[in-house]
Amino acid sequence: PLAGFGSLMQDVLWCFSQVKGTIDIGVTEADIISTVEFNHTGELLATGDKGGRVVIFQREQESKNQPHRRGEYNVYSTFQSHEPEFDYLKSLEIEEKINKIRWLPQQNAAYFLLSTNDKTVKLWKVSERDKRPEGYNLKDEDGRLRDPSMITMLRVPVLRPMDLMVEATPRRVFANAHTYHINSISVNSDYETYMSADDLRINLWNFEITNQSFNIVDIKPANMEELTEVITAAEFHPHHCNTFVYSSSKGTIRLCDMRTSALCDRHAKFFEEPEDPSNRSFFSEIISSISDVKFSHSGRYIMTRDYLTVKVWDLNMENRPIETYQVHDYLRSKLCSLYENDCIFDKFECVWNGSDSVIMTGSYNNFFRMFDRNTKRDVTLEASRENSKPRAILKPRKVCVGGKRRKDEISVDSLDFSKKILHTAWHPSENIIAVAATNNLYIFQDKVN
Amino acid sequence: MECTLDAQSLISISLRKIHSSRTQRGGIKLHKNLLVSYVLRNARQLYLSERYAELYRRQQHYPDGAPLLAMPACPPPAAAAPPELAGLPLPADTQDREARSCAAVRGGAELLEVPVCAAPPELQRAPCRDSSPGFYRAAGSAGPGGGGSTPPGLLYAAGCDFGSGGAPHCSSRTTVLDLDTHVVTTVENGYLHQDCCSQCPCCCQPAPGLASPPPTPGTKRKYSPGQEEEEEEGVEEGEPGGGGVAGGPPFAPCTKRARFEEYSAEHPQDSSNISNLISIFGSG
């Protein structure tokens, strides 16, 4: 059902569907979710966490017997993707935290995804096994070898059904190509290549080749003392396999065409909005740093997230975004405190819905925000256990900025800054969203009207 | 947009963040440290302008330009008169170009210092926004100049001021953050003359490496290799994390520290500022 396409946000009532994760008061750091991603059909939902684990959920087939259990997501596979490593040469510990997961489009029965930590990208194959061979001649059912002299007749092994087993195997390991911390991976629309981006460089890989990659962007200055900006995110165009964008800590986006030269240091387009001098502060550079960049599904727009806003850019207009949405502007007067407690460095992601009509991003206090690009309306919702009754409709939340606080509003000073929604995902074609709140994954769906 | 902290506190906080980033898991985060260095630069610019404004006010009372403190007078620079000062580059930026990172880590004692330099009023009117982000360097590290007499476990933001009207004097002020007690101390007489002036070409002869004549304010500044501002400590040859002395022309950091005055009565709130800084914002 393509209920999501074309529907206006105000027509959608978001309901709680599921929550995954424990309710413990104390959160184990390893359980903190660090990335969330639907696959191309929305059948699978993957999460990565700080402990280096990947958990994949699969949507149940809808059944006529239980229509209210519309496509619940249940655990499909869990595996340890990355382990902590130690770089002895540099005396550095390499965190196992999964920074990003990206799915490959499905081409056969198996599923493939890329997962990356700070240094190493891995290609995982997730496949099902529901049959096994039985009736070997040289070994019995337990696997013990039989004495050949005791065998009196031969038989042909047959495949018999077994309980479904989902196994994940690492098919490729792309290592030793990044000096700095990897922040992004992106699969190309040719499905043969992908790129990985760190603070200063972007590399292009072929899925089949692990011992070399092409460096396509290098912004490292000859003298590191001249460094003024780093790469913060990168993504391939959804349709044009020669085009990609990368964002910087200075709030700029560069679009590059790989056909022009091998090293794409010269951009084809440069997107930058002039700074508003009246907003100048100690922290202007920090809050203008872009934390995420995403192409629209159509490929006509890019969306960027900086600390306080989400912006939509038209690829044909470089001098300013076409839309700017305030996520939590009430924090502008709190930047000093947010700098002290490091919250100002939080990297929020942003996502498009399937029809590119609504965009979503997270905030603090487990709030997340949606903006309808057509009606210009926005809504703030909360991922919390209190609103977690099955099919309970989420009530819009409001932050009171000053003056009288209404009954249902929450004041800025009461916000819990330890509860941050950094990672969200939107189903490619339906109104189903996954919201990561620290160690819990919330799944919300629209109410079936 | 107001900030509840003054520039000096922001400098201290920023230095502390850079310092603690070295011990964080996963190695030094280049992006975060770059952003912190921008805050450091912004706070330093405000600190300088405030410091200079105060100095200028004091100058009004002492028209002879007598040194504020009992320091040996710097030899007057070649361009002493105010109009000619306009021909000098912003000392902050000049100094930035010459600062070097001696990012050596000695056991647990890591020293970070942010020398700052007030600008004469003519130059102060044209603050340089697009200069490279702030810098810091290790004092008394294993770089050229050898070990200093500085006690370990301290962070510095030092000031070296110049008066207007020609005869600069090296009155100076140092803010020290003790990492163990979290006490902030502001001292005068932080520098000896030669240490101060070795960094400040407008005070003495230009330091080695600064061969080209300083450009006039407003013109595009050309950076030659090895003269750039340090953007981050602990990063050399693009390697994240780890210690090691960065390359560049030999540069003697301010290795000697004069004896420290007692805790200055001018800043009775410094230690309470620090304890306020530690409290976590939010949650009601």
Side-chain angles (χ1 to χ4, degrees):
Chain A
L2 300 180
F5 271 102
S7 65
L8 297 174
M9 192 181 67
Q10 64 225 35
D11 299 333
V12 176
L13 290 173
W14 289 99
C15 304
F16 171 81
S17 175
Q18 298 169 270
V19 61
K20 311 285 189 189
T22 61
I23 321 178
D24 300 338
I25 306 290
V27 174
T28 314
E29 176 143 354
D31 294 336
I32 295 176
I33 298 170
S34 49
T35 185
V36 187
E37 188 83 355
F38 280 100
N39 76 337
H40 293 259
T41 60
E43 180 203 354
L44 298 180
L45 175 62
T47 62
D49 63 26
K50 276 196 169 184
R53 287 164 307 202
V54 172
V55 180
I56 302 177
F57 303 91
Q58 184 186 43
R59 195 175 184 193
E60 272 182 21
Q61 298 297 329
E62 296 190 19
S63 95
K64 296 189 179 56
N65 298 334
Q66 296 182 312
H68 60 275
R69 286 172 58 102
R70 250 182 3 133
E72 275 193 354
Y73 284 86
N74 297 316
V75 177
Y76 179 65
S77 174
T78 304
F79 57 92
Q80 186 77 31
S81 171
H82 287 71
E83 299 271 7
E85 288 174 52
F86 199 82
D87 182 335
Y88 294 98
L89 205 59
K90 297 175 198 163
S91 269
L92 273 189
E93 189 178 5
I94 301 169
E95 280 187 277
E96 67 277 28
K97 174 170 76 91
I98 308 296
N99 293 336
K100 285 286 173 2
I101 288 174
R102 290 290 182 262
W103 291 93
L104 270 68
Q106 196 174 4
Q107 291 173 308
N108 52 39
Y111 303 102
F112 288 88
L113 62 82
L114 288 175
S115 67
T116 186
N117 68 350
D118 284 340
K119 296 290 184 184
T120 303
V121 185
K122 294 187 185 180
L123 176 69
W124 289 89
K125 175 181 176 183
V126 183
S127 51
E128 296 180 3
R129 192 194 292 269
D130 62 357
K131 298 188 204 14
R132 66 158 182 246
E134 289 179 13
Y136 283 104
N137 290 290
L138 295 176
K139 57 182 179 179
D140 61 24
E141 298 310 320
D142 297 331
R144 281 183 303 220
L145 294 175
R146 295 165 78 188
D147 181 358
S149 60
M150 301 289 287
I151 299 174
T152 55
M153 51 179 268
L154 290 178
R155 56 186 177 171
V156 178
V158 293
L159 291 175
R160 293 208 190 282
M162 57 178 264
D163 289 340
L164 179 66
M165 192 172 76
V166 181
E167 48 186 15
T169 49
R171 300 298 293 175
R172 304 271 188 275
V173 177
F174 305 92
N176 302 321
H178 286 282
T179 307
Y180 302 95
H181 294 119
I182 296 175
N183 52 58
S184 309
I185 47 176
S186 178
V187 179
N188 204 348
S189 50
D190 62 9
Y191 306 151
E192 290 181 2
T193 57
Y194 77 94
M195 68 167 158
S196 56
D198 67 29
D199 292 317
L200 298 180
R201 298 191 178 101
I202 301 180
N203 294 330
L204 182 72
W205 302 84
N206 183 300
F207 281 110
E208 300 302 318
I209 301 169
T210 59
N211 60 0
Q212 64 177 0
S213 66
F214 286 104
N215 175 244
I216 54 176
V217 174
D218 188 339
I219 66 168
K220 182 183 174 199
N223 188 344
M224 278 297 276
E225 297 169 6
E226 297 169 27
L227 183 74
T228 57
E229 67 181 328
V230 297
I231 298 168
T232 53
E235 194 180 51
F236 269 115
H237 190 283
H239 312 309
H240 305 313
C241 57
N242 55 289
T243 303
F244 64 93
V245 293
Y246 69 91
S247 59
S248 85
S249 54
K250 275 192 168 175
T252 64
I253 307 102
R254 288 171 178 80
L255 183 138
C256 300
D257 186 336
M258 293 197 290
R259 295 170 300 190
T260 53
S261 70
L263 190 59
C264 299
D265 279 355
R266 301 225 324 258
H267 50 262
K269 295 195 188 216
F270 181 71
F271 300 85
E272 183 181 31
E273 183 176 28
E275 186 191 353
D276 178 4
S278 65
N279 271 337
R280 180 97 197 128
S281 77
F282 287 121
F283 312 106
S284 292
E285 286 83 5
I286 300 187
I287 64 171
S288 63
S289 176
I290 292 175
S291 52
D292 195 15
V293 65
K294 292 268 174 43
F295 272 102
S296 63
H297 291 91
S298 64
R300 289 179 50 196
Y301 306 102
I302 48 178
M303 167 168 54
T304 58
R305 176 70 155 97
D306 52 56
Y307 191 63
L308 297 178
T309 72
V310 188
K311 295 178 181 168
V312 177
W313 305 73
D314 187 316
L315 284 192
N316 297 318
M317 187 159 73
E318 299 170 50
N319 59 347
R320 60 178 173 81
I322 57 170
E323 295 152 32
T324 300
Y325 301 96
Q326 303 294 332
V327 181
H328 38 216
D329 199 60
Y330 45 79
L331 296 183
R332 199 178 283 273
S333 57
K334 308 282 186 197
L335 293 180
C336 217
S337 310
L338 294 166
Y339 177 70
E340 288 182 71
N341 66 9
D342 272 0
C343 281
I344 205 174
F345 300 105
D346 287 335
K347 297 186 185 174
F348 292 94
E349 294 172 4
C350 52
V351 291
W352 300 85
N353 74 337
S355 59
D356 297 337
S357 60
V358 182
I359 57 182
M360 174 170 67
T361 189
S363 179
Y364 294 103
N365 208 71
N366 276 355
F367 288 168
F368 56 100
R369 304 261 284 137
M370 291 185 189
F371 302 92
D372 189 316
R373 297 180 59 219
N374 299 319
T375 65
K376 303 302 181 203
R377 291 203 189 161
D378 61 85
V379 70
T380 304
L381 300 172
E382 181 181 2
S384 75
R385 292 276 176 174
E386 285 82 45
N387 304 333
S388 300
K389 299 187 178 38
R391 295 179 299 287
I393 297 176
L394 294 183
K395 201 172 60 167
R397 304 304 310 264
K398 192 145 163 46
V399 176
C400 161
V401 182
K404 263 187 86 155
R405 185 178 75 86
R406 293 221 193 98
K407 184 165 157 283
D408 288 336
E409 292 179 354
I410 181 167
S411 71
V412 180
D413 296 317
S414 304
L415 295 173
D416 187 343
F417 286 84
S418 68
K419 294 188 181 167
K420 49 195 86 173
I421 306 263
L422 302 175
H423 313 287
T424 61
W426 204 310
H427 189 286
S429 54
E430 294 183 43
N431 276 343
I432 303 173
I433 55 176
V435 174
T438 316
N439 61 332
N440 287 334
L441 182 73
Y442 288 82
I443 300 175
F444 302 106
Q445 299 187 8
D446 69 342
K447 191 172 180 57
V448 180
N449 290 320
Chain B
M1 205 243 15
E2 74 280 2
C3 180
T4 53
L5 296 172
D6 64 354
Q8 206 164 318
S9 306
L10 265 185
I11 291 175
S12 302
I13 296 172
S14 301
L15 289 179
R16 208 160 34 144
K17 284 186 193 294
I18 292 173
H19 169 76
S20 67
S21 80
R22 294 163 151 214
T23 53
Q24 274 167 6
R25 248 188 118 213
I28 290 183
K29 305 271 188 291
L30 184 61
H31 183 198
K32 182 178 177 185
N33 279 279
L34 183 67
L35 296 178
V36 170
S37 68
Y38 275 110
V39 175
L40 205 52
R41 178 201 66 169
N42 295 337
R44 185 181 53 132
Q45 283 176 345
L46 180 63
Y47 174 84
L48 293 180
S49 59
E50 285 175 350
R51 183 90 181 101
Y52 183 74
E54 179 193 331
L55 213 62
Y56 188 68
R57 275 195 304 276
R58 291 194 198 180
Q59 280 286 297
Q60 302 303 96
H61 298 292
Y62 299 101
D64 295 336
L68 291 185
L69 302 159
M71 297 280 283
C74 301
E84 282 157 292
L85 279 176
L88 291 170
L90 292 173
D93 291 47
T94 307
Q95 188 162 359
D96 295 345
R97 284 202 290 273
E98 297 181 342
R100 293 288 169 263
S101 163
C102 302
V105 172
R106 295 183 302 168
E110 296 160 11
L111 307 175
L112 297 166
E113 176 182 330
V114 179
V116 293
C117 216
E122 291 87 343
L123 302 174
Q124 194 55 41
R125 279 186 227 118
C128 182
R129 277 278 164 75
D130 56 355
S131 61
S132 297
F135 61 92
Y136 52 92
R137 58 189 171 86
S141 63
S149 57
T150 44
L154 297 172
L155 290 175
Y156 296 82
C160 175
D161 304 325
F162 292 92
S164 66
H169 42 267
C170 295
S171 68
S172 59
R173 191 194 222 183
T174 307
T175 299
V176 178
L177 164 68
D178 187 317
L179 291 175
D180 295 320
T181 65
H182 289 179
V183 168
V184 170
T185 313
T186 304
V187 293
E188 312 289 329
N189 283 352
Y191 280 106
L192 287 182
H193 162 75
Q194 72 244 32
D195 299 318
C196 169
C197 290
S198 69
Q199 313 160 40
C200 308
C202 44
C203 184
C204 345
Q205 291 152 9
L210 188 66
S212 52
T216 55
T219 62
K220 222 162 158 102
R221 207 168 289 106
K222 284 207 190 69
Y223 292 127
S224 5
Q227 288 179 351
E228 303 316 312
E229 270 188 14
E230 191 62 15
E231 112 285 350
E232 168 165 355
E233 184 167 10
V235 178
E236 48 161 11
E237 284 308 306
E239 304 303 303
V245 178
F251 172 71
C254 286
T255 57
K256 300 200 180 96
R257 293 279 159 264
R259 66 252 168 254
F260 294 118
E261 306 283 331
E262 275 304 313
Y263 178 80
S264 166
E266 283 181 57
H267 299 269
Q269 282 134 25
D270 277 354
S271 50
S272 64
N273 271 351
I274 289 294
S275 47
N276 286 342
L277 298 181
I278 295 170
S279 70
I280 303 298
F281 172 88
S283 79

